[in-house]
Structure formats: structure tokens, C-alpha cells
Amino acid sequence: MIVFETIAVAFAMFSAIPVPQPVWGPRNMRYALCALPLIGVVIGLAQALWQIAANWLCMPEMLRGAGLCLIPILLTGGIHLDGYADTSDALASCAPPEKKQEILKDPRCGAFAVIRLGVWFVASFALCTAVRLDDPALACFGMSFVLSRALSGWAVATFPLAKNTGLAHTFATSADRTAVRRVLLVLAILLAVCMCAVGRIEGAAMAAAAFLVLLYYRRMSDKQFGGLSGDLAGWFLQTAELWMLAALVAVQLLEAAL
């Protein structure tokens, strides 16, 4: 029973998928971050079904790409994009870390958030339209949503936090951090190996992109904000997924050119 409650906590917080709403407590929050990649599994399966439907119906590439772009947002309710927007505003301010933290808490959407969300959507839609999803690429594409969440959860349980309040602090302090770090790190490594085995160069490029974004995320969160927060976790997830897709398309374009 506690396993299902733990999964329900993760899905209730980080997705728009209807699930029972358990009361948060020490028992069902302890490993909730370990359940976060399961949302990526659901997104990956939904993407695969959409690609199959697109092939069967001979959808125009733009319609297929629009579905691939929007499915993750619809299934998560845009919670990670909200963090991406807030972080974009804070980064564009070029203010000290303390001021950036205040900007993250501001419920208003600034100009730079709107601009960078527009850039993100254009880039995501263009890449989703351009990508060729044969079976290996589709498998790697689906796994990318699991890998981004495994790394995001690992970072929340590992990186220094910027403050003693907020969503990231709640999940980090409620977790068995040692166990969560081990489980999610092993999962991330296994996913990276699987992506390399299935997609070869394409999969390796996607895995490398994810880990490079993670390294930048650690440096950026420390230098710019004094530590990690829930908004920064959303920024990382959206950025990692976009760069993994960009790596897949880049390899495909290079292979086609050669």
C-alpha cells in the first residue's frame, strides 16, 4: 500500500494525470523522488503511441511534431515549464543571488520569461518536426523523459539547496537521501547504457547531452542562486529534454549529410 501511496505523491505533484490524493507524510514521501521517473515512462509511452498513430494516419510532419511537443506539457500540466520561466526571468536579471531568489518567488511573469518560453516552444516544435523516429530513435526518445527525471530527482537529493523552504526542500528533507541518490544514479547510468546500446551514436549523444546539462546545472545553481530550488529543477528538466532532442536531430542530420 505504501508503494502505491509513494507513486501517487509523485504523480499528484509532478503530473496532471488523475491519481488518488494521499496525505503527505514521512512514509510516503521517503522514496517519492524514486517514483518521479515513472512519470517519464508514461510520457515516453504516450509519445510512442502518438508516433504510431501519426505513421498509421500519415499525418503531416507539422501535426506529428506538434503532438510530440505538446504531449509532455499536457501530461505534466506545465509544472516544469513554470520553473523554467521563473528561472529565465531570474537569470536575465543579472542580479545578486539573493535578488534572483526573490524573482523566483514573484508570481508575475516577466518579459524574459515570455521571450524564453517562446524560444523554447519554437525550438521544441522545430526539433519534434525534424526528428526521424525509427524504432531505435523512438526508444531513445522515450527513455530521455525517464533519464531527465532520474537526474532531476538525483540532483534534488544531492545538490546543496538554496533555502530551507519550498518544494525542493520539502522533497529533499523528507527523502531517505542516501537511498534515493543510489537508486536514481544507478537508474540514470542504466538508462544511459541502454540508450547507447539501442541508439548507438544517437543514444550516446543524447545521454552525453543530459549529463553535460547536469554539470552546467550544478555550476549555475551554485553560482547564480546559491543552491538548488524547485524552479531550478524545472529549468533543468526542460533544458535537458530539449538538448537531448537537439543531440538526436543533430546526429541524424550529420549522418544524412555524410
Side-chain angles (χ1 to χ4, degrees):
M1 187 67 177
I2 193 63
V3 173
F4 294 108
E5 283 191 19
T6 299
I7 294 172
V9 167
F11 273 76
M13 187 64 244
F14 298 110
S15 82
I17 301 169
V19 294
Q21 301 289 321
V23 177
W24 289 12
R27 294 183 68 222
N28 57 28
M29 290 284 290
R30 190 176 186 186
Y31 301 110
L33 288 173
C34 292
L36 181 59
L38 294 176
I39 301 172
V41 173
V42 174
I43 295 172
L45 291 174
Q47 296 283 48
L49 290 174
W50 178 258
Q51 178 65 27
I52 291 170
N55 291 339
W56 185 61
L57 296 172
C58 298
M59 287 184 188
E61 288 302 304
M62 291 185 67
L63 180 58
R64 179 190 70 102
L68 295 175
C69 175
L70 294 176
I71 283 172
I73 300 168
L74 295 175
L75 291 179
T76 60
I79 184 172
H80 306 298
L81 272 179
D82 177 68
Y84 181 89
D86 290 341
T87 303
S88 296
D89 257 344
L91 287 172
S93 71
C94 298
E98 296 78 11
K99 179 61 177 178
K100 287 187 174 75
Q101 288 292 342
E102 293 179 13
I103 294 172
L104 290 180
K105 293 186 289 186
D106 193 335
R108 295 170 296 180
C109 189
F112 285 102
V114 175
I115 292 168
R116 295 193 183 185
L117 277 176
V119 171
W120 187 93
F121 271 106
V122 170
S124 178
F125 173 65
L127 291 168
C128 287
T129 302
V131 69
R132 299 190 310 275
L133 292 178
D134 53 17
D135 289 345
L138 183 58
C140 290
F141 184 52
M143 284 189 281
S144 71
F145 297 99
V146 187
L147 178 58
S148 65
R149 283 160 177 79
L151 292 176
S152 181
W154 178 83
V156 169
T158 305
F159 292 175
L161 299 175
K163 54 185 180 178
N164 294 326
T165 59
L167 188 61
H169 178 266
T170 299
F171 274 85
T173 55
S174 300
D176 181 340
R177 298 178 76 166
T178 300
V180 168
R181 284 196 295 264
R182 289 173 179 172
V183 169
L184 293 180
L185 181 59
V186 170
L187 176 60
I189 293 172
L190 288 176
L191 285 166
V193 171
C194 287
M195 291 171 75
C196 293
V198 172
R200 298 182 182 277
I201 297 176
E202 293 176 352
M206 294 176 73
F211 282 96
L212 287 173
V213 173
L214 180 68
L215 291 175
Y216 176 78
Y217 174 42
R218 172 60 190 269
R219 180 176 178 274
M220 181 270 286
S221 62
D222 284 348
K223 182 178 180 180
Q224 300 288 343
F225 296 90
L228 184 145
S229 69
D231 286 319
L232 291 172
W235 176 92
F236 164 75
L237 193 143
Q238 297 295 161
T239 303
E241 290 177 358
L242 186 66
W243 279 98
M244 280 190 279
L245 179 57
L248 173 59
V249 173
V251 171
Q252 290 181 344
L253 291 175
L254 287 173
E255 289 177 339
L258 297 175

